[in-house]
Amino acid sequence: MTRYLTTCCAVLFLFLSKNGWAEESIAQINRDINYLRENVIQVFDYSGQDIQTAERVISQLTQVLQTNEWNIEGQVLLRSVRGLSLKTINMYRLNSGQRVDYIQSEMALEDIEFVSQQTGSEQILYAGGHVAMHLLNYPVKAYDLWQRCAESGHAGCMNIMATHRFTGE
């Protein structure tokens, strides 16, 4: 995964320098990606979660995605970070009794599906199932994502599908 991110960042740098954007922009994008990975996606204790800062960084990534032509690798990187960050923020909201942002959750699901189509990642399908089921209350969509994930051999998805088939829930 680290090699993949390094390659994506190198591709982003070449793209941006070719378009005159150069080092400062790519450095900011890398800082944003690293911030979200370290402070949102990979965090398991959400009590200190700074949602406002995370949403501001996600907004900056969204602007970057909308204002530039990105190759597939760049889109996959940016959309996977944005989608997983939005999932994490809204799962925190759900679990702490706050209101889920459905627009963000829809965007997360769109990003996750895009990344899944481009990469075939089982882990991203697993996350997408949780967004669909818990944040958006789309059980048919959730089980579709988990079924595709289970067919790829992901243990978590196989467990969910086995339980679903056994209990019907």
Side-chain angles (χ1 to χ4, degrees):
M1 183 67 167
T2 303
R3 234 185 251 164
Y4 176 76
L5 292 175
T6 303
T7 303
C8 287
C9 289
V11 169
L12 289 175
F13 175 75
L14 292 173
F15 174 78
L16 293 173
S17 34
K18 179 176 78 173
N19 290 327
W21 238 41
E23 295 157 18
E24 183 54 38
S25 296
I26 195 69
Q28 182 59 50
I29 292 168
N30 282 332
R31 282 192 298 271
D32 290 348
I33 290 169
N34 287 334
Y35 174 84
L36 291 172
R37 287 180 65 219
E38 293 169 6
N39 297 292
V40 179
I41 297 171
Q42 298 174 348
V43 173
F44 299 103
D45 175 20
Y46 301 113
S47 60
Q49 189 80 271
D50 184 359
I51 291 177
Q52 290 178 335
T53 300
E55 286 178 329
R56 181 183 50 76
V57 173
I58 291 167
S59 177
Q60 291 169 343
L61 284 184
T62 299
Q63 289 176 348
V64 166
L65 272 165
Q66 292 172 345
T67 58
N68 297 299
E69 295 290 325
W70 295 98
N71 62 22
I72 292 298
E73 291 85 9
Q75 289 180 48
V76 166
L77 174 63
L78 295 171
R79 291 183 76 170
S80 65
V81 169
R82 182 176 70 177
L84 293 173
S85 296
L86 290 171
K87 171 204 172 260
T88 302
I89 288 169
N90 283 287
M91 289 299 281
Y92 167 76
R93 286 181 173 137
L94 178 70
N95 293 329
S96 64
Q98 298 178 34
R99 196 163 132 188
V100 170
D101 186 321
Y102 291 105
I103 294 172
Q104 287 181 353
S105 298
E106 286 281 354
M107 183 184 290
L109 188 57
E110 288 174 18
D111 285 347
I112 286 168
E113 288 187 294
F114 175 85
V115 172
S116 167
Q117 289 172 354
Q118 300 303 318
T119 66
S121 168
E122 299 94 17
Q123 191 63 33
I124 202 84
L125 288 171
Y126 180 72
H130 285 288
V131 170
M133 179 63 83
H134 304 294
L135 299 178
L136 296 169
N137 197 27
Y138 297 165
V140 173
K141 182 67 172 174
Y143 286 116
D144 175 58
L145 294 170
W146 286 328
Q147 178 63 43
R148 292 182 2 218
C149 175
E151 290 169 359
S152 298
H154 187 277
C157 292
M158 291 178 1
N159 184 33
I160 290 169
M161 294 309 297
T163 302
H164 171 66
R165 288 204 174 104
F166 182 72
T167 64
E169 296 178 12

